[in-house]
């Protein structure tokens, strides 16, 4: 006889019916897609990001209209993409939040993407007023300036978080990249400064080269399931050691990857690339397979197995450490 399987979970204080969340991507620009995501069983939807550059540019344009004598904007605007390049303006973004909140029951998480603490963080208040359930912040910053120290890079994140924390009461998730020299210490700081969740890890856009035409190819590649390894390692290390939620992003293409992330200790797994490959209804397939696995394994709830493969809970915690790496390299199998 089949037992009842409960796949609900909690993510930064929000109750989610399922542990599969749609991560930020342009599919959520269309309300009909958000409805489809809910229908297919998404636990929540993170909307596509609105960029600091866009918010600042709109503010600056407004200021220019209000103060036609000022010349300051003319210079600054050279750094920004043209307004037409953004598919959705800041007002439309708020409208999408309002409309989505009217039409779906699942949490809607807005996403802001910025790198400085000035001139755009007030927009988070508009997002809160529009009815978003939470805010995800992606500090997409590549420290290409050779004078920057690690401490300065971390401070940038902390300053942005502090400002947003002062501005809104919404739960705040920070989407992180893996390139920090001491990630554990840094995540602890983010938790202390008021982050409610960490989204692990952002995939940096990495341009490729066309070697025949000697040009840079600015294309975005979808992920592969094998890419879960690095986020998996860090979720397994952080689980139970910081008092905030953990979301896993990158490489969830089927139930297997989602299950691994949950076993490591994630509260939710997130999905983007797989929806481009298979369509939005794929969410349902992943969740059906998750339930089937739980049935087979005798897990009646997510809580019953979440974190069981984390570093704290496995019988041999050194499996995550250097000694194991040495063992692998020294093993006869590789000879
Ligand atoms: C087409 C596309 C657009 C994306 N846009 C955003 C974005 O606006 N903001 C953001 O934080 N992440 C964005 N991402 C990153 C995803 O949210 C996600 O973190 C990443 O793709 C890894 O998950 P995946 O392996 O399921 O694709 C985008 C990804 C894709 C594929």
């Amino acid at each position: 006889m089949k037992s009842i399987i409960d796949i609900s979970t909690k993510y930064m204080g929000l109750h989610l019916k399922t542990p599969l969340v749609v991560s930020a991507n342009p599919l959520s620009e269309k309300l009909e897609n958000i409805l489809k995501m809910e229908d297919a069983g998404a636990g929540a939807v993170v909307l596509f990001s609105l960029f600091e550059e866009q918010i600042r540019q709109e503010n600056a344009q407004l200021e220019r209209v209000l103060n036609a004598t000022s010349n300051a904007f003319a210079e600054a605007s050279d750094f920004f993409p043209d307004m037409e390049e953004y598919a959705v303006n800041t007002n439309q973004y708020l409208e999408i939040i309002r409309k989505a909140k009217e039409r779906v029951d699942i949490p809607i998480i807005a996403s802001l993407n910025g790198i400085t603490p000035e001139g755009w963080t007030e927009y988070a208040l508009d997002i809160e007023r529009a009815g978003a359930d939470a805010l995800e912040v992606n500090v997409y910053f590549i420290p290409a300036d050779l004078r920057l120290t690690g401490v300065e890079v971390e401070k940038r994140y902390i300053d942005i978080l502090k400002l947003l924390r002062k501005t809104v009461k919404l739960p705040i998730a920070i989407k992180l990249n893996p390139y920090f020299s001491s990630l554990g210490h840094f995540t602890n700081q983010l938790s202390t400064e008021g982050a409610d969740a960490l989204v692990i890890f952002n995939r940096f856009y990495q341009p490729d080269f066309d070697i025949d035409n000697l040009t840079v190819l600015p294309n975005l590649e979808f992920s592969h399931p094998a890419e879960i390894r690095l986020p998996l390692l860090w979720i397994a290390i952080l689980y139970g050691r910081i008092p905030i939620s953990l979301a896993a992003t990158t490489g969830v293409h089927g139930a297997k990857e989602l299950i691994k992330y949950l076993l490591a200790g994630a509260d939710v797994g997130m999905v983007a690339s797989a929806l481009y490959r298979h369509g939005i209804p794929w969410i349902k397939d992943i969740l059906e397979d998750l339930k089937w696995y739980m049935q087979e394994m005798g897990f009646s709830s997510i809580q019953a197995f979440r974190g069981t493969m984390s570093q704290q809970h496995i019988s041999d915690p050194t499996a995550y450490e250097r000694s194991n790496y040495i063992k692998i390299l020294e093993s006869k199998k590789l000879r």
Side-chain angles (χ1 to χ4, degrees):
M1 200 184 75
K2 279 196 173 180
S3 54
I4 293 176
I5 302 281
D6 175 13
I7 58 167
S8 67
T9 186
K10 262 195 143 183
Y11 177 54
M12 49 174 165
L14 304 168
H15 178 79
L16 309 192
K17 286 185 201 150
T18 76
L20 189 57
V21 170
V22 176
S23 67
N25 76 77
L27 291 174
S28 52
E29 282 173 11
K30 290 197 181 128
L31 184 64
E32 65 190 75
N33 283 341
I34 300 178
L35 302 180
K36 280 188 202 163
M37 289 163 190
E38 181 181 48
D39 271 356
V45 171
V46 183
L47 297 180
F48 59 100
S49 293
L50 203 64
F51 293 86
E52 167 185 350
E53 289 81 347
Q54 185 179 1
I55 300 168
R56 286 162 64 117
Q57 192 177 11
E58 285 190 20
N59 287 348
Q61 272 194 346
L62 183 66
E63 209 158 288
R64 189 170 57 140
V65 173
L66 294 175
N67 182 8
T69 52
S70 164
N71 201 26
F73 176 73
E75 219 175 289
S77 67
D78 292 345
F79 297 110
F80 299 131
D82 290 336
M83 290 296 275
E84 300 80 58
E85 286 178 29
Y86 296 107
V88 171
N89 69 33
T90 51
N91 284 330
Q92 287 166 331
Y93 196 86
L94 300 177
E95 200 48 32
I96 290 172
I97 296 174
R98 280 188 213 105
K99 288 221 173 94
K101 286 306 296 174
E102 273 169 26
R103 300 286 301 278
V104 298
D105 289 328
I106 54 174
I108 297 294
I109 302 170
S111 167
L112 286 178
N113 195 318
I115 53 169
T116 77
E118 291 127 34
W120 61 281
T121 47
E122 304 77 25
Y123 185 75
L125 198 56
D126 295 333
I127 284 178
E128 185 168 53
R129 288 183 182 137
D133 296 279
L135 179 65
E136 184 177 290
V137 184
N138 183 346
V139 182
Y140 191 108
F141 176 68
I142 299 176
D145 180 342
L146 303 194
R147 293 163 302 182
L148 269 182
T149 67
V151 172
E152 285 167 317
V153 175
E154 289 182 6
K155 187 171 178 303
R156 186 177 282 264
Y157 283 70
I158 302 286
D159 287 349
I160 291 172
L161 171 62
K162 276 184 175 167
L163 246 168
L164 288 170
R165 191 63 295 163
K166 259 202 271 175
T167 311
V168 290
K169 295 197 176 64
L170 289 175
I172 299 177
I174 304 287
K175 192 168 186 176
L176 283 178
N177 67 71
Y179 311 114
F180 290 93
S181 51
S182 191
L183 195 66
H185 177 263
F186 180 47
T187 56
N188 227 343
Q189 263 186 300
L190 291 169
S191 161
T192 308
E193 294 298 347
D196 298 281
L198 301 174
V199 182
I200 294 175
F201 287 118
N202 185 36
R203 281 174 93 227
F204 270 151
Y205 147 71
Q206 297 167 352
D208 199 1
F209 285 174
D210 176 335
I211 58 170
D212 298 316
N213 295 308
L214 301 183
T215 52
V216 177
L217 298 171
N219 51 1
L220 185 131
E221 279 234 351
F222 293 133
S223 68
H224 300 278
E227 289 177 60
I228 72 164
R229 298 279 190 104
L230 190 58
L232 193 69
L233 169 72
W234 274 102
I235 287 167
I237 289 174
L238 293 176
Y239 173 79
R241 296 168 74 187
I242 49 170
I244 58 177
S245 298
L246 299 173
T249 176
T250 296
V252 175
H253 286 255
K256 210 175 196 178
E257 294 82 38
L258 176 62
I259 292 163
K260 286 181 186 177
Y261 276 140
L262 294 169
L263 286 168
D267 296 277
V268 295
M270 291 187 168
V271 62
S273 293
L275 303 187
Y276 281 88
R277 287 229 168 90
H278 307 285
I280 293 170
W282 188 244
I283 292 170
K284 190 161 182 263
D285 292 70
I286 297 179
L287 292 172
E288 285 302 320
D289 288 351
L290 167 68
K291 282 190 222 160
W292 182 85
Y293 167 82
M294 288 169 65
Q295 184 85 43
E296 290 295 301
M297 297 293 285
F299 299 136
S300 59
S301 68
I302 300 293
Q303 216 45 43
F305 73 102
R306 190 170 84 82
T308 49
M309 301 279 290
S310 64
Q311 188 178 25
Q312 283 195 343
H313 286 177
I314 55 168
S315 55
D316 176 15
T318 62
Y320 288 111
E321 289 169 5
R322 179 182 163 82
S323 54
N324 200 53
Y325 162 69
I326 297 172
K327 244 190 270 172
I328 292 166
L329 296 190
E330 293 301 316
S331 86
K332 292 199 176 73
K333 280 191 210 143
L334 292 177
R335 302 263 155 84

